[in-house]
Amino acid sequence: DESPVLQEAEDEFITIEDLPTETIINFLLVYDAIDFSFWGEPKWEINTINGKESGSIALLYAILKYVKDNNTTDFSNITKDEFREILKGNVEIPLFEERYKIITNVSKIVNEKMNKNFYEFIKNITNDIELFDVIIKYFQNFKDERIYNGKPIYLYKLAQLLTSDILHIRKLKEHIKVDYSHLVGCADYKIPQVMRGLGILEYSDELADIIDSKKEIEVNSEYEVEIRANMIIAIDLIKKRLGNKVCSIDINDYIWSQGRNKDIKLKESEKVGIVFHKGDVLYGKLRPYLQNWLLASFNGLAVGDFWVLQPQNTDSSFLYRLVQSQQFDEVANQSTGTKMPRADWKLVSKTKF
């Protein structure tokens, strides 16, 4: 249950864009460092102004609230009791001791080796390869390696996630050119769950039984490595199917976002969505610049972030061409959200083409 940090605009109780870029980047370092493994029964939850939240979103809310309330991203001197209070929920957050050790150590490294400011240390880096190398060199907790059949497997989920988050937010806030094209999928557990629900991944009967019965899969086990590695392979195959026009990390983030889509059940047998019919036009509203269009030649179910458009007193082909026009594209891309931008139907529907 892990995620990219920059959430959809609908999560209005989490506001990050109003902070200075320097504060956001320094926050991202400590947040992403402890954004892992939320397994537990009952699951850890906190109360927010929008109700209960769990997992990565709850962690984001709790850490960001502390940063805003105390005007600091330095956790080097925080006590265990203070940290426990920050993360106070219905139960103690899983792996509390490990998270405490990591967040205090990360802040100490920043203070001692980066003159107390991570942002200033990396601000001249605008490409993923250099930034990733800095993160791995200075922060050992971001290393993510496994041994499979006697060979090392390099996954580096959190390091890639942090690299992506930093470059995305700097592109948005500072209007600079960045390169995150070398990042691959962030091998976690949430995305394979969504992929399975969407029919992208299929598990063996034995593995399906383990997953469905909510048995814990051991770290470094063959199943753990296989699930995470195959997720990366699936994203790479999707990228190739799209003609390599979309970065792997953007595909990663899109699939992850579907895990928060209430229209999707995470089991294949329970998929729900919007019914469409032959002649309808499907328009992918998430990241509209990806140009996900379809003039349906069959009946089906649109699962995920799609508009199903039905022509009224016009021809389907005309409607299909309209959504591909430059004017429609410009309006649709005046979207809401930062890292997960969505076309705004209120704006599109009021526009005369």
Side-chain angles (χ1 to χ4, degrees):
D1 189 13
E2 297 142 328
S3 72
V5 65
L6 304 176
Q7 298 306 314
E8 300 93 303
E10 293 93 308
D11 294 327
E12 294 177 355
F13 62 97
I14 302 174
T15 53
I16 190 172
E17 293 176 49
D18 57 334
L19 296 173
T21 305
E22 179 178 320
T23 301
I24 296 174
I25 301 304
N26 290 332
F27 158 74
L28 288 174
L29 173 64
V30 293
Y31 166 73
D32 279 337
I34 61 172
D35 180 26
F36 57 83
S37 190
F38 297 94
W39 294 104
E41 288 294 337
K43 66 180 179 181
W44 172 69
E45 294 180 325
I46 67 170
N47 293 316
T48 74
I49 59 174
N50 276 24
K52 293 184 182 297
E53 287 290 344
S54 61
S56 287
I57 303 302
L59 182 67
L60 176 64
Y61 181 91
I63 299 299
L64 186 57
K65 185 176 186 303
Y66 176 85
V67 168
K68 287 185 172 184
D69 289 348
N70 295 273
N71 194 30
T72 183
T73 55
D74 184 359
F75 288 79
S76 59
N77 294 316
I78 198 167
T79 67
K80 282 187 181 180
D81 286 341
E82 290 170 335
F83 191 54
R84 187 174 282 109
E85 185 64 24
I86 293 171
L87 302 178
K88 186 176 181 180
N90 58 321
V91 294
E92 184 171 275
I93 190 172
L95 302 174
F96 171 82
E97 295 288 339
E98 184 175 351
R99 293 181 207 273
Y100 174 75
K101 181 180 179 181
I102 289 172
I103 200 169
T104 54
N105 187 56
V106 165
S107 288
K108 288 176 182 177
I109 291 171
V110 171
N111 291 342
E112 295 170 6
K113 298 184 178 181
M114 300 179 175
N115 197 27
K116 300 182 178 182
N117 195 318
F118 175 66
Y119 170 77
E120 287 292 330
F121 192 79
I122 56 93
K123 72 176 183 180
N124 293 324
I125 301 175
T126 58
N127 71 83
D128 50 9
I129 295 177
E130 289 184 55
L131 182 55
F132 177 89
D133 286 345
V134 168
I135 293 168
I136 295 301
K137 176 182 178 180
Y138 285 91
F139 304 102
Q140 295 296 309
N141 58 286
F142 280 97
K143 287 194 173 181
D144 184 7
E145 302 173 5
R146 299 287 188 269
I147 300 297
Y148 184 80
N149 289 339
K151 297 181 180 180
I153 305 295
Y154 305 100
L155 299 170
Y156 290 107
K157 177 234 173 177
L158 292 180
Q160 290 197 103
L161 188 61
L162 177 58
T163 301
S164 172
D165 285 339
I166 290 171
L167 294 178
H168 274 94
I169 200 68
R170 292 194 65 193
K171 179 182 179 182
L172 174 73
K173 295 276 288 183
E174 298 177 341
H175 307 291
I176 61 174
K177 185 177 181 180
V178 300
D179 180 9
Y180 49 81
S181 63
H182 303 93
L183 298 175
V184 298
C186 295
D188 69 352
Y189 309 101
K190 181 71 170 184
I191 292 176
Q193 186 184 26
V194 177
M195 284 183 166
R196 186 185 179 207
L198 295 174
I200 297 172
L201 289 180
E202 293 184 5
Y203 294 163
S204 67
D205 291 342
E206 180 182 346
L207 179 56
D209 181 64
I210 292 173
I211 298 294
D212 295 341
S213 59
K214 297 185 178 180
K215 296 177 183 177
E216 186 171 345
I217 297 177
E218 294 183 8
V219 174
N220 285 317
S221 68
E222 287 190 0
Y223 273 148
E224 189 236 5
V225 177
E226 289 170 357
I227 290 172
R228 298 180 73 193
N230 275 284
M231 185 218 91
I232 296 175
I233 292 171
I235 286 178
D236 188 58
L237 291 172
I238 294 171
K239 178 184 176 183
K240 290 177 180 177
R241 188 68 178 269
L242 295 173
N244 295 313
K245 296 178 181 179
V246 183
C247 292
S248 294
I249 197 68
D250 288 334
I251 298 170
N252 177 96
D253 294 349
Y254 175 85
I255 296 173
W256 180 87
S257 74
Q258 299 309 293
R260 287 180 60 77
N261 189 329
K262 294 180 175 61
D263 291 334
I264 294 179
K265 299 291 183 181
L266 297 181
K267 287 186 179 179
E268 288 184 61
S269 60
E270 297 178 349
K271 284 191 291 184
V272 297
I274 304 173
V275 174
F276 65 86
H277 302 282
K278 181 178 179 180
D280 290 347
V281 173
L282 276 63
Y283 186 89
K285 64 178 179 177
L286 180 62
R287 299 186 183 279
Y289 54 81
L290 296 181
Q291 301 180 343
N292 291 319
W293 314 312
L294 175 68
L295 175 55
S297 59
F298 53 90
N299 298 333
L301 198 65
V303 180
D305 286 280
F306 285 94
W307 290 331
V308 175
L309 308 176
Q310 298 175 336
Q312 303 292 320
N313 302 317
T314 189
D315 184 82
S316 294
S317 296
F318 175 80
L319 181 58
Y320 184 52
R321 296 296 184 274
L322 175 63
V323 301
Q324 299 177 56
S325 67
Q326 181 179 351
Q327 186 186 6
F328 192 96
D329 190 60
E330 289 174 353
V331 175
N333 277 283
Q334 296 177 36
S335 48
T336 59
T338 54
K339 197 174 178 184
M340 303 290 183
R342 284 182 172 83
D344 184 350
W345 178 250
K346 291 182 180 178
L347 177 62
V348 172
S349 64
K350 292 179 181 178
T351 303
K352 185 176 181 179
F353 298 98

CSV table of all heavy atoms in Angstrom, one decimal, residues 188-206:
chain,number,residue,atom,x,y,z
A,188,ASP,N,6.6,-2.3,-6.1
A,188,ASP,CA,6.0,-2.4,-4.7
A,188,ASP,C,4.9,-3.5,-4.7
A,188,ASP,O,5.0,-4.5,-5.4
A,188,ASP,CB,5.4,-1.1,-4.3
A,188,ASP,CG,4.2,-0.7,-5.1
A,188,ASP,OD1,3.8,-1.4,-6.1
A,188,ASP,OD2,3.5,0.3,-4.7
A,189,TYR,N,3.9,-3.4,-3.9
A,189,TYR,CA,2.9,-4.4,-3.7
A,189,TYR,C,1.5,-4.0,-4.2
A,189,TYR,O,0.7,-4.7,-4.6
A,189,TYR,CB,2.8,-4.9,-2.3
A,189,TYR,CG,4.2,-5.3,-1.7
A,189,TYR,CD1,4.9,-4.4,-0.9
A,189,TYR,CD2,4.8,-6.5,-2.1
A,189,TYR,CE1,6.2,-4.7,-0.5
A,189,TYR,CE2,6.1,-6.8,-1.7
A,189,TYR,CZ,6.7,-5.9,-0.8
A,189,TYR,OH,8.0,-6.3,-0.4
A,190,LYS,N,1.3,-2.7,-4.1
A,190,LYS,CA,0.0,-2.1,-4.5
A,190,LYS,C,-0.2,-2.2,-6.0
A,190,LYS,O,-1.3,-2.6,-6.4
A,190,LYS,CB,0.0,-0.6,-4.1
A,190,LYS,CG,-1.3,0.1,-4.5
A,190,LYS,CD,-2.4,-0.4,-3.5
A,190,LYS,CE,-3.7,0.5,-3.7
A,190,LYS,NZ,-4.7,0.1,-2.7
A,191,ILE,N,0.8,-1.9,-6.8
A,191,ILE,CA,0.7,-1.9,-8.2
A,191,ILE,C,0.4,-3.3,-8.8
A,191,ILE,O,-0.5,-3.5,-9.6
A,191,ILE,CB,1.9,-1.3,-8.9
A,191,ILE,CG1,1.9,0.2,-8.6
A,191,ILE,CG2,1.8,-1.5,-10.4
A,191,ILE,CD1,3.0,1.0,-9.2
A,192,PRO,N,1.1,-4.4,-8.3
A,192,PRO,CA,0.7,-5.7,-8.7
A,192,PRO,C,-0.7,-6.1,-8.4
A,192,PRO,O,-1.4,-6.8,-9.1
A,192,PRO,CB,1.7,-6.6,-8.0
A,192,PRO,CG,2.9,-5.8,-7.7
A,192,PRO,CD,2.3,-4.4,-7.5
A,193,GLN,N,-1.2,-5.6,-7.2
A,193,GLN,CA,-2.6,-5.8,-6.8
A,193,GLN,C,-3.5,-5.2,-7.8
A,193,GLN,O,-4.5,-5.8,-8.2
A,193,GLN,CB,-2.8,-5.2,-5.4
A,193,GLN,CG,-4.2,-5.5,-4.8
A,193,GLN,CD,-4.4,-4.8,-3.5
A,193,GLN,OE1,-3.8,-3.8,-3.2
A,193,GLN,NE2,-5.2,-5.4,-2.6
A,194,VAL,N,-3.3,-4.0,-8.2
A,194,VAL,CA,-4.1,-3.3,-9.2
A,194,VAL,C,-4.0,-4.0,-10.6
A,194,VAL,O,-5.0,-4.2,-11.3
A,194,VAL,CB,-3.7,-1.8,-9.4
A,194,VAL,CG1,-4.5,-1.1,-10.5
A,194,VAL,CG2,-3.9,-1.1,-8.0
A,195,MET,N,-2.8,-4.4,-10.9
A,195,MET,CA,-2.6,-5.1,-12.2
A,195,MET,C,-3.3,-6.4,-12.3
A,195,MET,O,-3.9,-6.7,-13.3
A,195,MET,CB,-1.1,-5.4,-12.4
A,195,MET,CG,-0.2,-4.2,-12.9
A,195,MET,SD,1.5,-4.7,-13.1
A,195,MET,CE,2.1,-3.3,-14.0
A,196,ARG,N,-3.4,-7.1,-11.1
A,196,ARG,CA,-4.2,-8.3,-11.1
A,196,ARG,C,-5.6,-8.0,-11.3
A,196,ARG,O,-6.4,-8.7,-12.0
A,196,ARG,CB,-3.9,-9.0,-9.8
A,196,ARG,CG,-4.6,-10.4,-9.7
A,196,ARG,CD,-4.4,-11.0,-8.3
A,196,ARG,NE,-5.0,-12.3,-8.2
A,196,ARG,CZ,-5.5,-12.8,-7.1
A,196,ARG,NH1,-5.4,-12.1,-6.0
A,196,ARG,NH2,-6.1,-14.0,-7.1
A,197,GLY,N,-6.1,-7.0,-10.6
A,197,GLY,CA,-7.5,-6.6,-10.7
A,197,GLY,C,-7.9,-6.2,-12.1
A,197,GLY,O,-9.0,-6.4,-12.6
A,198,LEU,N,-7.0,-5.6,-12.9
A,198,LEU,CA,-7.2,-5.2,-14.2
A,198,LEU,C,-6.9,-6.3,-15.3
A,198,LEU,O,-7.1,-6.1,-16.5
A,198,LEU,CB,-6.4,-4.0,-14.6
A,198,LEU,CG,-6.7,-2.7,-13.8
A,198,LEU,CD1,-5.7,-1.6,-14.1
A,198,LEU,CD2,-8.1,-2.2,-14.1
A,199,GLY,N,-6.5,-7.4,-14.8
A,199,GLY,CA,-6.2,-8.5,-15.7
A,199,GLY,C,-4.9,-8.5,-16.4
A,199,GLY,O,-4.6,-9.2,-17.4
A,200,ILE,N,-4.0,-7.6,-15.9
A,200,ILE,CA,-2.6,-7.4,-16.5
A,200,ILE,C,-1.7,-8.6,-16.1
A,200,ILE,O,-0.9,-9.1,-16.8
A,200,ILE,CB,-2.0,-6.1,-16.2
A,200,ILE,CG1,-2.9,-4.9,-16.8
A,200,ILE,CG2,-0.6,-6.0,-16.7
A,200,ILE,CD1,-2.5,-3.6,-16.4
A,201,LEU,N,-1.8,-8.9,-14.7
A,201,LEU,CA,-1.0,-10.0,-14.2
A,201,LEU,C,-2.0,-11.1,-13.8
A,201,LEU,O,-3.1,-10.9,-13.3
A,201,LEU,CB,-0.3,-9.5,-12.9
A,201,LEU,CG,0.9,-8.6,-13.1
A,201,LEU,CD1,1.5,-8.3,-11.7
A,201,LEU,CD2,2.0,-9.2,-14.0
A,202,GLU,N,-1.5,-12.3,-14.0
A,202,GLU,CA,-2.2,-13.5,-13.5
A,202,GLU,C,-1.3,-14.3,-12.6
A,202,GLU,O,-0.1,-14.5,-12.9
A,202,GLU,CB,-2.7,-14.4,-14.7
A,202,GLU,CG,-3.8,-13.7,-15.5
A,202,GLU,CD,-4.3,-14.6,-16.6
A,202,GLU,OE1,-3.9,-15.8,-16.6
A,202,GLU,OE2,-5.1,-14.2,-17.4
A,203,TYR,N,-1.8,-14.8,-11.5
A,203,TYR,CA,-1.0,-15.6,-10.5
A,203,TYR,C,-1.3,-17.0,-10.6
A,203,TYR,O,-2.4,-17.4,-11.1
A,203,TYR,CB,-1.4,-15.1,-9.1
A,203,TYR,CG,-0.9,-13.7,-8.7
A,203,TYR,CD1,-1.4,-13.1,-7.6
A,203,TYR,CD2,0.0,-13.0,-9.5
A,203,TYR,CE1,-1.0,-11.8,-7.3
A,203,TYR,CE2,0.4,-11.7,-9.2
A,203,TYR,CZ,-0.1,-11.1,-8.1
A,203,TYR,OH,0.3,-9.8,-7.8
A,204,SER,N,-0.4,-17.9,-10.3
A,204,SER,CA,-0.6,-19.3,-10.2
A,204,SER,C,-1.6,-19.6,-9.1
A,204,SER,O,-1.9,-18.7,-8.2
A,204,SER,CB,0.7,-20.0,-9.9
A,204,SER,OG,1.1,-19.7,-8.5
A,205,ASP,N,-2.2,-20.7,-9.1
A,205,ASP,CA,-3.3,-21.1,-8.1
A,205,ASP,C,-2.7,-21.0,-6.7
A,205,ASP,O,-3.3,-20.5,-5.8
A,205,ASP,CB,-3.8,-22.5,-8.4
A,205,ASP,CG,-4.7,-22.5,-9.7
A,205,ASP,OD1,-5.1,-21.5,-10.1
A,205,ASP,OD2,-4.9,-23.6,-10.2
A,206,GLU,N,-1.4,-21.5,-6.6
A,206,GLU,CA,-0.8,-21.5,-5.2
A,206,GLU,C,-0.6,-20.0,-4.7
A,206,GLU,O,-0.9,-19.7,-3.6
A,206,GLU,CB,0.5,-22.2,-5.3
A,206,GLU,CG,1.3,-22.2,-4.0
A,206,GLU,CD,2.6,-22.9,-4.1
A,206,GLU,OE1,2.9,-23.6,-5.1
A,206,GLU,OE2,3.4,-22.8,-3.1
